[in-house]
Amino acid sequence: MKGLLPKIILILAIANFGFAGGALHDKVKEGNKLYGDKKYDEALVKYNDAQIESPNSPEVFFNMGNVFYRQKKYKEAVEAYRKA
């Protein structure tokens, strides 16, 4: 997992460059706030809502991966990071 962190950071930097605005941005922002408050289940709901707006969004998959990682669901986290 140690070598995965630099790749994740790179993906996030690239993903933020082309980030869409509007409803997607608002939902991700709400999810990020919940994630920051360690409300991982609630954050995942927001990210799932955002995924409806943009089913292939790297940002959404990355954030979902972060939630799964914090929940110790490593298989799901790696899958989400790969999709990102």
Side-chain angles (χ1 to χ4, degrees):
M1 286 300 213
K2 196 176 203 179
L4 186 60
L5 186 58
K7 292 176 186 173
I8 293 169
I9 292 169
L10 177 61
I11 290 169
L12 179 61
I14 292 168
N16 279 337
F17 180 78
F19 193 78
L24 173 64
H25 176 73
D26 293 342
K27 290 174 184 176
V28 171
K29 186 175 177 180
E30 290 172 23
N32 290 346
K33 168 87 171 86
L34 292 164
Y35 178 86
D37 293 339
K38 299 182 180 180
K39 296 178 180 178
Y40 303 124
D41 291 331
E42 294 173 48
L44 189 57
V45 169
K46 292 296 180 183
Y47 298 142
N48 282 325
D49 289 346
Q51 194 175 32
I52 293 169
E53 297 287 328
S54 183
N56 298 315
S57 170
E59 297 84 5
V60 174
F61 283 116
F62 179 82
N63 290 327
M64 291 171 80
N66 289 342
V67 169
F68 291 134
Y69 181 82
R70 292 291 182 181
Q71 293 175 329
K72 300 184 188 307
K73 296 179 181 177
Y74 301 118
K75 183 178 177 181
E76 291 89 341
V78 169
E79 185 178 326
Y81 289 139
R82 284 189 178 146
K83 288 179 181 178

